[in-house]
Amino acid sequence: MPEIIVYAAEGRSAEQKKSLMKDLTDAMVKNFGVPAEVVTVQIVEAPKANKAKGGIPFSER
Amino acid sequence: MPEIIVYAAEGRSAEQKKSLMKDLTDAMVKNFGVPAEVVTVQIVEAPKANKAKGGIPFSER
Amino acid sequence: MPEIIVYAAEGRSAEQKKSLMKDLTDAMVKNFGVPAEVVTVQIVEAPKANKAKGGIPFSER
Amino acid sequence: MPEIIVYAAEGRSAEQKKSLMKDLTDAMVKNFGVPAEVVTVQIVEAPKANKAKGGIPFSER
Amino acid sequence: MPEIIVYAAEGRSAEQKKSLMKDLTDAMVKNFGVPAEVVTVQIVEAPKANKAKGGIPFSER
Amino acid sequence: MPEIIVYAAEGRSAEQKKSLMKDLTDAMVKNFGVPAEVVTVQIVEAPKANKAKGGIPFSER
């Protein structure tokens, strides 16, 4: 612990996701004073038809 | 904010999911008095083998 | 199933939350064709210091 | 209710997941005194590139 | 990893929650073949007015 | 979107949480190329009796 869950629409590269998870982990280490090894991050990606903002699916925005 | 996450087994059409996300957003606008544009909805779908009720996977119910 | 989780900052009345949960449930019944009794909703409220938009806590927005 | 969400990297068999969901449900019934039929479990699996520990994706660990 | 999140209404004792978290962890170890030390469990409790089944808050059921 | 949920045991100061949410937001902006204003972060804190690692509550670790 702590655990970080990111909810996002699909469409980012593996490189973007890897770098994001590294930076989120670093932010946790810096601010909460925990060792990196106890921090887990999971990105929960949704097809654009499964995510909406303002009631409109990202597949149509 | 607010954010709505829906956990469901796979098997609904894009049309059903679009209409659901619209209605959930409208419910948030109506009851919490927020503009639609700040409401996000994500449907986290699971294969039926990854979801259970009463200890029995939906793939066998 | 399905399960709906709502993440929101504190500050709504019990009446607002009750009405929201009723409307979210109705939206699920209407669109996914499930009986109301299998739909659960949980509102996860955060103190305003625990939730941020644009990197700024709601306690300061 | 209650609802159990499990966040895990991909790579387990359907048999492992079925047995896990059964055991998690039994644990809920035993400790919280609820009937099994009201317990739902959903396993949210991530591709190994979408999950990290210590800032390193499971695809590289 | 893996991480287990339990969504439940308030009202269980510390002893019930401790025993539940132990049993959920054991289920993960047994079925997924991971060491106990990498398993985290968090119980997200809601006041009964913040959780509903069938559209009715647990505070009124 | 995207939305970030952090699951953590209680015990951090408002200052630590504010700084964490700022840094998590910055990480999202940098890596996913989204404006800060669409990023929400919520920290879901648990009493130490409601969170366990290795099956042992943080209240006893």
Side-chain angles (χ1 to χ4, degrees):
Chain A
M1 91 107 195
E3 296 78 46
I4 302 175
I5 307 291
V6 178
Y7 295 94
E10 286 181 350
R12 270 71 186 213
S13 69
E15 210 45 55
Q16 281 179 297
K17 292 185 278 189
K18 177 182 172 177
S19 178
L20 174 70
M21 294 191 292
K22 175 69 168 66
D23 288 349
L24 295 177
T25 302
D26 288 350
M28 197 62 80
V29 169
K30 171 189 159 200
N31 291 291
F32 274 27
V34 292
E37 200 53 32
V38 306
V39 180
T40 56
V41 181
Q42 182 164 332
I43 303 173
V44 179
E45 287 186 303
K48 290 187 176 179
N50 282 20
K51 189 168 179 109
K53 186 182 174 79
I56 301 169
F58 279 91
S59 48
E60 302 183 11
R61 287 178 70 100
Chain B
M1 90 106 195
E3 296 77 46
I4 303 175
I5 307 291
V6 178
Y7 295 94
E10 287 180 348
R12 268 72 187 212
S13 69
E15 210 44 54
Q16 281 179 296
K17 291 186 279 189
K18 176 181 172 177
S19 177
L20 174 69
M21 295 191 293
K22 176 70 169 65
D23 289 350
L24 295 177
T25 302
D26 288 351
M28 197 63 79
V29 170
K30 171 189 158 200
N31 290 291
F32 274 27
V34 292
E37 201 52 32
V38 306
V39 180
T40 56
V41 181
Q42 183 165 330
I43 303 174
V44 179
E45 287 185 305
K48 291 188 176 179
N50 282 19
K51 189 168 178 110
K53 187 184 173 80
I56 301 170
F58 279 91
S59 48
E60 303 184 10
R61 286 177 70 100
Chain C
M1 92 106 195
E3 295 79 45
I4 302 175
I5 308 290
V6 178
Y7 295 94
E10 286 180 349
R12 270 71 187 213
S13 69
E15 210 46 53
Q16 281 178 295
K17 292 186 278 188
K18 177 181 172 177
S19 178
L20 175 70
M21 294 191 292
K22 175 68 169 68
D23 288 349
L24 296 177
T25 302
D26 288 349
M28 196 63 79
V29 169
K30 171 190 159 199
N31 291 290
F32 274 26
V34 292
E37 200 52 33
V38 305
V39 180
T40 56
V41 181
Q42 183 166 330
I43 303 174
V44 179
E45 287 185 305
K48 290 187 177 181
N50 282 19
K51 189 167 179 110
K53 187 183 174 79
I56 301 168
F58 279 92
S59 47
E60 303 183 11
R61 288 177 69 97
Chain D
M1 91 106 195
E3 297 76 46
I4 303 175
I5 308 291
V6 178
Y7 295 94
E10 285 180 350
R12 270 70 187 214
S13 69
E15 210 45 54
Q16 281 179 297
K17 292 185 278 189
K18 177 182 173 178
S19 178
L20 175 70
M21 294 191 293
K22 176 68 168 67
D23 288 350
L24 296 177
T25 302
D26 289 350
M28 196 63 79
V29 170
K30 171 189 158 198
N31 291 290
F32 274 26
V34 291
E37 201 52 34
V38 305
V39 180
T40 56
V41 181
Q42 183 165 331
I43 303 173
V44 179
E45 287 186 304
K48 291 188 176 179
N50 282 20
K51 191 169 177 107
K53 188 184 173 78
I56 301 168
F58 279 92
S59 47
E60 302 183 11
R61 287 178 70 99
Chain E
M1 93 106 194
E3 296 77 47
I4 303 175
I5 308 291
V6 177
Y7 295 94
E10 285 181 349
R12 270 71 188 213
S13 69
E15 210 45 54
Q16 281 178 298
K17 292 186 278 189
K18 176 182 173 178
S19 177
L20 174 70
M21 295 191 292
K22 175 70 169 64
D23 288 349
L24 295 177
T25 302
D26 288 350
M28 196 62 80
V29 170
K30 171 189 158 199
N31 291 290
F32 275 26
V34 292
E37 201 52 32
V38 305
V39 180
T40 56
V41 181
Q42 183 164 332
I43 302 173
V44 180
E45 287 185 303
K48 290 187 176 180
N50 282 19
K51 189 167 179 109
K53 187 184 174 80
I56 301 168
F58 278 91
S59 47
E60 303 183 10
R61 287 177 69 99
Chain F
M1 90 107 196
E3 296 78 46
I4 303 175
I5 308 290
V6 178
Y7 295 94
E10 286 180 349
R12 269 72 187 211
S13 69
E15 211 45 55
Q16 282 178 296
K17 291 186 278 188
K18 177 182 172 178
S19 177
L20 174 70
M21 295 192 293
K22 176 70 168 66
D23 289 350
L24 296 177
T25 302
D26 288 350
M28 196 63 80
V29 170
K30 171 189 159 200
N31 290 290
F32 274 27
V34 293
E37 201 51 33
V38 306
V39 180
T40 56
V41 181
Q42 183 165 332
I43 303 174
V44 179
E45 287 186 304
K48 291 188 176 179
N50 282 20
K51 190 168 177 108
K53 188 184 173 79
I56 301 169
F58 279 92
S59 48
E60 302 184 9
R61 288 178 69 100

